[in-house]
Amino acid sequence: MNMERKTGMLRQPGLHKIWISGIILSFVLFLANYLVFQNLIQASEESSCMQHHQGNVMTTSPPRTVSVLDPGEMELYRKKEHIRTLVLRNFRELPFSKRLELFDVIYKKSQAMGIDPYLTLSIIATESSFRKSAISWDGAYGLMQIKPFTAEQVACKLGIPWQGEETLFDPVLNITIGIKYLADLKDRFGDMDQALVAYNCGPEFVSNRMKNEEKLPIRYIEKIRRNLKQMV
């Protein structure tokens, strides 16, 4: 009996240490979870602020109740990333850094001028098959196949220095000019199908057809739509 008491007394210090260790471990886990939770809240607030950052000016807006993107924002994000993937995949003759630059031009310039970036890519696919040095039989140049006379006028509007036909072999300048030209045609005719025919056949061609109440050819539009369907 005395032996059992002695044994129990010897065991008690070990149990006491285990009990203290358990308390310390529980406290450490609680503290770690608290810090993680605080970091998540801070990251959510920073993300909300960044979404309203425009240039060097931070705009204020009501705080978001959730940290995830809403369905509309998520759809825009998916579209943007899909377009980025299409650009990187199709402009293979260009260096990676140049493709990233083209993505910015195609996505931002198109949206700024009221053109769907998918449509811009479809025109490039139809006109030049993504070849920056393409030249047509009737003297159109580059990715979006623009004639020098037309391109020079558009470049002047945009403040782009005109260096002759070589300007149109620069992918960034070619696409910038092409998007602006298409946007001007859309503003002129008020209809994207008519603007596309004018882009392909010339604005005077479309004006004369409409004046004479003649139907516009749809072959070019159909090509654009086929390429657009494959991309989207």
Side-chain angles (χ1 to χ4, degrees), residues 31-41:
L31 182 61
N33 287 330
Y34 175 79
L35 292 175
V36 170
F37 180 72
Q38 290 297 318
N39 287 335
L40 287 175
I41 293 176

Side-chain angles (χ1 to χ4, degrees), residues 51-107:
Q51 290 175 4
H52 297 285
H53 186 274
Q54 299 176 352
N56 294 324
V57 180
M58 183 72 74
T59 59
T60 58
S61 63
R64 300 176 67 93
T65 57
V66 293
S67 60
V68 296
L69 296 176
D70 61 43
E73 291 174 328
M74 182 61 70
E75 182 61 29
L76 289 176
Y77 174 79
R78 288 175 179 169
K79 178 179 180 179
K80 182 176 181 179
E81 291 307 305
H82 184 228
I83 292 171
R84 187 199 307 271
T85 299
L86 290 173
V87 171
L88 295 177
R89 181 190 303 163
N90 287 292
F91 292 91
R92 293 185 179 275
E93 68 173 350
L94 299 175
F96 183 77
S97 59
K98 197 65 170 181
R99 281 180 273 169
L100 289 178
E101 185 180 0
L102 276 187
F103 160 72
D104 283 336
V105 172
I106 291 170
Y107 189 79

Side-chain angles (χ1 to χ4, degrees), residues 13-222:
L15 292 173
H16 183 67
K17 291 180 180 179
I18 293 174
W19 182 71
I20 293 175
S21 298
I23 293 176
I24 294 174
L25 180 60
S26 298
F27 177 75
V28 171
L29 291 175
F30 170 79
L31 182 61
N33 287 330
Y34 175 79
L35 292 175
V36 170
F37 180 72
Q38 290 297 318
N39 287 335
L40 287 175
I41 293 176
Q42 183 178 0
S44 174
E45 293 174 351
E46 291 176 353
S47 175
S48 178
C49 289
M50 286 298 294
Q51 290 175 4
H52 297 285
H53 186 274
Q54 299 176 352
N56 294 324
V57 180
M58 183 72 74
T59 59
T60 58
S61 63
R64 300 176 67 93
T65 57
V66 293
S67 60
V68 296
L69 296 176
D70 61 43
E73 291 174 328
M74 182 61 70
E75 182 61 29
L76 289 176
Y77 174 79
R78 288 175 179 169
K79 178 179 180 179
K80 182 176 181 179
E81 291 307 305
H82 184 228
I83 292 171
R84 187 199 307 271
T85 299
L86 290 173
V87 171
L88 295 177
R89 181 190 303 163
N90 287 292
F91 292 91
R92 293 185 179 275
E93 68 173 350
L94 299 175
F96 183 77
S97 59
K98 197 65 170 181
R99 281 180 273 169
L100 289 178
E101 185 180 0
L102 276 187
F103 160 72
D104 283 336
V105 172
I106 291 170
Y107 189 79
K108 294 178 181 178
K109 296 287 186 183
S110 295
Q111 288 196 319
M113 297 189 184
I115 306 296
D116 191 330
Y118 281 121
L119 178 59
T120 301
L121 282 173
S122 299
I123 293 173
I124 295 171
T126 303
E127 292 286 352
S128 66
S129 299
F130 301 101
R131 293 177 294 112
K132 68 173 184 176
S133 57
I135 304 176
S136 70
W137 60 270
D138 60 343
Y141 291 80
L143 290 168
M144 294 192 72
Q145 290 291 280
I146 315 167
K147 292 183 178 180
F149 176 76
T150 300
E152 183 177 5
Q153 292 179 324
V154 178
C156 182
K157 292 180 182 179
L158 295 172
I160 296 175
W162 181 250
Q163 304 296 330
E165 298 168 357
E166 289 299 318
T167 305
L168 294 174
F169 291 126
D170 182 313
V172 171
L173 297 181
N174 187 288
I175 292 175
T176 301
I177 293 171
I179 292 172
K180 172 60 176 173
Y181 181 47
L182 180 62
D184 287 347
L185 292 173
K186 181 184 177 183
D187 290 341
R188 174 174 174 177
F189 293 104
D191 178 83
M192 182 54 76
D193 283 351
Q194 293 177 12
L196 287 171
V197 175
Y199 187 93
N200 179 241
C201 301
E204 295 306 321
F205 173 84
V206 174
S207 295
N208 291 333
R209 283 292 183 107
M210 294 176 63
K211 182 178 179 180
N212 297 327
E213 298 183 352
E214 298 176 351
K215 291 183 179 180
L216 296 175
I218 62 172
R219 184 177 178 181
Y220 181 75
I221 296 175
E222 290 175 343

